[in-house]
Amino acid sequence: HFDRLKEDHQKAKDIQETLQQLEAVSVVEPVETNIVIFKLSSNSSQDSFLNNLKSHNVLVSDMGGGKLRMVTHLDYTDAMHTNLLEILSKA
């Protein structure tokens, strides 16, 4: 599925762009692959943010030190991507 990686990388960049527009997010690390790493702003509750996403079946990995991680992959469909961007834009 090497050819498909290009799509996953673009989807990660789309997520990066959406996260950068959120007041709750303080920084999004540059996206170079299919991994998006970001931090929430100091006035945002990580638990609330993660629980809100979880209520929409979106799981985000807590890397510790305030870093959160999202990863696109082969099983992450276009429909899921559209849905995620909509959920994030309302977060």
Side-chain angles (χ1 to χ4, degrees):
H1 302 286
F2 185 74
D3 294 336
R4 172 71 201 296
L5 281 176
K6 191 175 195 178
E7 289 178 42
D8 290 332
H9 294 179
Q10 182 56 55
K11 287 176 181 171
K13 286 186 182 287
D14 294 344
I15 295 168
Q16 173 191 18
E17 290 172 8
T18 301
L19 288 170
Q20 287 173 326
Q21 296 175 24
L22 301 180
E23 288 182 31
V25 175
S26 66
V27 66
V28 183
E29 294 184 7
V31 171
E32 297 178 12
T33 62
N34 63 328
I35 300 171
V36 182
I37 298 173
F38 62 102
K39 286 186 174 185
L40 297 179
S41 60
S42 59
N43 61 346
S44 296
S45 165
Q46 182 171 309
D47 287 340
S48 294
F49 185 84
L50 295 178
N51 286 335
N52 177 45
L53 293 179
K54 189 175 181 179
S55 74
H56 294 285
N57 296 317
V58 175
L59 301 179
V60 178
S61 299
D62 182 351
M63 298 176 62
K67 288 186 176 184
L68 301 173
R69 181 181 78 142
M70 301 176 89
V71 179
T72 60
H73 53 78
L74 182 62
D75 297 324
Y76 179 68
T77 66
D78 290 340
M80 291 171 155
H81 185 61
T82 301
N83 189 43
L84 173 65
L85 296 179
E86 184 177 321
I87 291 166
L88 287 175
S89 67
K90 295 177 182 177

